[in-house]
Structures are given as C-alpha cells and as structure tokens.
Amino acid sequence: MSDLFNLKDYETFLTDLKVRIRSAQVRASIAVNRELVLLYWQIGRDILNRQQQQGWGAKVIQTLSKDLKQEFPEMKGFSRSNLLYMRAFAQAFPDEAIVQAALGQVTWYHNIALLDKLKSNEERLWYARQTIEHGWSRNVLVHQVESDLYRRMGGAVTNFDRALPPPQSDLANQLLKDPYHLDFLDVTSSVQERDLERALVERIREFLLELGVGFAFVGSQYHLEVDGDDYYIDLLFYHLKLRCYVVIDLKVTEFQPEFSGKMNFYISAVDDLLRHPEDRSTIGIILCKGKKKTAVEYALRDVNRPIGVSTYQLKDSLPKLLEENLPTVEQLAMELNTVVAEVVKSSESESEEALLLDEL
C-alpha cells in the first residue's frame, strides 16, 4: 500500500471528520445537560414526595446537602439552595415529559432563571423554546424576560396578513414587537430623529438584540436615487430567515397617516432597485413614539405593501400608573413654597421667643 495520497481528497476527508466530531461533541454536551437536568428534577420530585408522604420537614434539605456533598465532593450542585431549586423545579413541572422535551434542552442555570423570573409555566416554556431556537445565553434570556418579550412579540399593527403569503406573513408578524425597548440608549424623550438614528447605529449590537435573531444591518441613511432625486432610508436591514429587506423609518412623534405613504414609496424603491429576484417582498417598519390603533388600521387598509407600525420606549419613560401618581411641576412648586413659608414662619417665631427670653 502506497504512502502517497491525494492532498485534495485528504483535506475533504479531514474537513468532514472535523464537522462530524464537532457535531458529536454538541450532541454529547446536549445529552449530558439533559441527563443532569432530569437528575435534578428527579431529586426534587423525590424530596417532594417524601415531604408530602412521610412528613419530612424543611430541615432534611440541609442534612441531605451535607451528605451528598460528602459523597460526591467533585460535584458542585448539591448546595442547600440548589436542592431547594430542584424541589421548586419538580413542583412547578410535575410532568417528566415536559422536562425531557423542552426544559432538558436548556441548562440548569437557564431553568433557575425561569423559576426566579416568571410565575407562569406557559411563559416559562415559551422562553425555554425561544432559548432553544435562538441559542440564547442565560444573560440574554434574563434580558428578554425582563424586557417582557413574551407580551411584546407580535403586538404591532400590520397589514402582513393581507400583503404577504401565509408562511411569510406568520413569520413577519412574529418578529415585530410593540413596544421596542430602547432603554440602552443614552437619550431622552425629547431626542430628534437624526439623534435617535445616530444613537441606534452607535449601539447597533444592542439594537440587533432587541430586533431579534435574523436581522443583518445594511446601513443608515441609505441612499436611493429616484428620477434624479435623492432619498435616504433611516435604517436598512436584511432578514436572513425571511430572505427580504427590512426598511425602518424612525419617528419621534405619534403615528400620522402620511407616514404609511412615505414607507410605501421606500418599499417600492427598494424592491425595484435593491431586491434580488430570489428575495421576498421588502417589509417596512415604522417606529414611532406612540400610535392609535384605529388610525393605523385605516392608514394601512388599502396599502398593498407589507408595513408594520410599532412604538418604542426610551429609558426615561415611566409606567403610566406611576406617571399618573407623580406630582406635576406646579404641584411641586406649590409644595415647596408652602414648606419655605413654614420654615420662615418657624424661624420668625424662634427669633421672637429668643428676644422675649433676653428681655426676661
């Protein structure tokens, strides 16, 4: 047998082996994680059963932690707090099939975050599935939970159901949020559109995270020439899963019906000048400070291009209930004047008392 071999064939063979080995490593890692999560669930279930059936008290957790750590010193997961999480995990999800199907595919630390941050199993499972689909780290998961992604997804007003074919319209509706949380920006609510755009470009990494998986940034103030005139798109993206361009128009005011006409123009221009024959229809997103649902629905009713309208929140936005209960500037001024008057009156009284004492 000759020691000579075709170098090109060898490189192909080596590349194939590397892919297979890495795939096996990933599968092994997932399998190990699933077994660990399942083990923790089983431990939690058994603790629950014995506490319920045999009347074991909470003190057994501390004893169990000590004994397990002594028997398995190389394992770090048998602290008292972790055993309590195991019990809470089993109590929240009594069905082992659910644990194996979804929760076993994310790490134990992801599951702890879901237990800590959420009360509803429906939401916990939704976030777990999103984590699996998008490969979120625990920190990204926590960010998405704290930004209330579950309730914001699909909340925008759109005409996608009519302007796009069913598979694309469903996916497009799912990717839009309302509102978008832009609290990572160092700007106030009085910001101008160009300042808002510039801030988003400077923090494009955080903005891409808020937009969601699949968005690729193409450019800001993207130049288009139509009949010799220059036009500029605030932000232009390409969505890898939808296979289409996404035009974003930023507005620092409430939605106005004429915004949809401008967006319709941009989408038509992008479809004609940039869109590849294999690309799908360009989508437009109008991001504005506020909107009234009926006005948006009227504005989009007879528009054939796919457009969605969402709002955004900056970091100095306050919850409505809190905002309604805060005093106005006038109220604060009145209170301040009252306090000053009382202080002055008190000082005058003290001075009069001091004079009387001196006279005595």
Side-chain angles (χ1 to χ4, degrees):
M1 184 179 292
S2 173
D3 289 335
L4 298 176
F5 54 84
N6 185 293
L7 183 59
K8 186 175 180 180
D9 288 344
Y10 173 77
E11 289 177 349
T12 302
F13 173 66
L14 179 60
T15 300
D16 178 61
L17 280 182
K18 289 177 180 178
V19 170
R20 285 160 59 188
I21 291 169
R22 288 195 178 100
S23 297
Q25 287 177 327
V26 170
R27 289 195 303 271
S29 176
I30 292 172
V32 169
N33 178 77
R34 186 183 293 113
E35 288 300 317
L36 181 65
V37 171
L38 185 59
L39 171 65
Y40 286 172
W41 177 84
Q42 290 169 343
I43 292 173
R45 177 200 59 190
D46 292 346
I47 291 173
L48 270 176
N49 288 341
R50 279 163 175 75
Q51 286 185 326
Q52 292 169 357
Q53 296 170 9
Q54 302 178 24
W56 287 5
K59 194 173 181 181
V60 71
I61 302 290
Q62 183 64 44
T63 305
L64 190 60
S65 170
K66 180 182 176 182
D67 291 338
L68 288 174
K69 284 194 289 188
Q70 185 174 345
E71 182 65 24
F72 304 99
E74 72 284 358
M75 295 184 70
K76 306 299 182 184
F78 295 132
S79 65
R80 178 181 176 277
S81 61
N82 210 38
L83 287 174
L84 289 171
Y85 273 122
M86 295 177 201
R87 185 180 67 178
F89 185 51
Q91 192 168 27
F93 298 99
D95 188 348
E96 183 176 343
I98 292 176
V99 176
Q100 291 194 1
L103 301 170
Q105 295 186 56
V106 299
T107 72
W108 177 240
Y109 297 104
H110 282 79
N111 280 301
I112 288 178
L114 294 174
L115 288 172
D116 280 343
K117 299 288 183 180
L118 299 163
K119 302 299 181 185
S120 161
N121 277 356
E122 180 182 345
E123 290 186 47
R124 288 167 175 163
L125 288 171
W126 185 87
Y127 280 105
R129 292 180 183 117
Q130 293 292 312
T131 298
I132 295 165
E133 181 179 352
H134 301 304
W136 291 341
S137 68
R138 182 187 178 280
N139 287 341
V140 171
L141 168 64
V142 169
H143 168 78
Q144 302 291 22
V145 170
E146 291 179 346
S147 70
D148 202 17
L149 180 64
Y150 176 77
R151 288 175 178 80
R152 294 188 292 129
M153 290 296 287
V157 181
T158 77
N159 65 352
F160 293 166
D161 292 341
R162 180 172 45 79
L164 295 171
Q168 191 184 12
S169 65
D170 292 343
L171 186 57
N173 271 316
Q174 290 171 16
L175 73 88
L176 259 68
K177 305 170 185 174
D178 188 42
Y180 284 85
H181 285 180
L182 307 183
D183 50 0
F184 53 85
L185 299 179
D186 189 22
V187 295
T188 64
S189 58
S190 59
V191 67
Q192 300 299 307
E193 283 168 11
R194 290 291 284 117
D195 296 326
L196 179 59
E197 176 203 324
R198 190 178 299 110
L200 286 172
V201 172
E202 289 174 356
R203 303 290 296 273
I204 193 65
R205 185 174 180 179
E206 291 90 341
F207 188 41
L208 284 170
L209 176 61
E210 175 61 12
L211 286 176
V213 174
F215 281 90
F217 182 53
V218 177
S220 64
Q221 288 299 302
Y222 194 92
H223 175 249
L224 296 174
E225 184 178 336
V226 180
D227 283 343
D229 293 327
D230 296 320
Y231 298 91
Y232 297 90
I233 294 172
D234 286 345
L235 297 166
L236 183 63
F237 293 84
Y238 188 86
H239 198 276
L240 301 174
K241 197 169 183 179
L242 285 170
R243 295 292 174 187
C244 69
Y245 283 100
V246 180
V247 176
I248 295 184
D249 198 19
L250 299 173
K251 300 295 179 185
V252 295
T253 61
E254 282 212 357
F255 175 82
Q256 299 297 321
E258 54 266 29
F259 295 168
S260 59
K262 181 181 177 184
M263 178 58 77
N264 191 52
F265 169 80
Y266 282 151
I267 293 174
S268 297
V270 169
D271 273 346
D272 190 48
L273 301 174
L274 300 180
R275 180 183 171 193
H276 188 273
E278 295 179 2
D279 289 337
R280 294 173 177 171
S281 299
T282 300
I283 291 173
I285 302 175
I286 301 172
L287 267 184
C288 48
K289 192 174 182 181
K291 70 178 190 299
K292 293 178 180 177
K293 186 178 179 181
T294 305
V296 176
E297 289 174 347
Y298 283 166
L300 300 183
R301 178 178 293 178
D302 297 316
V303 176
N304 295 321
R305 301 289 183 179
I307 298 174
V309 179
S310 292
T311 59
Y312 60 83
Q313 289 182 350
L314 299 173
K315 66 178 181 179
D316 59 343
S317 298
L318 291 170
K320 191 172 182 181
L321 182 62
L322 178 60
E323 193 172 14
E324 289 173 350
N325 286 282
L326 286 176
T328 64
V329 173
E330 292 78 10
Q331 289 171 330
L332 285 173
M334 190 181 298
E335 291 288 340
L336 184 60
N337 290 335
T338 302
V339 170
V340 169
E342 289 178 352
V343 169
V344 170
K345 185 177 180 181
S346 175
S347 298
E348 290 175 350
S349 298
E350 289 177 359
S351 298
E352 290 175 359
E353 289 178 4
L355 286 172
L356 287 172
L357 288 173
D358 288 342
E359 290 176 0
L360 292 172

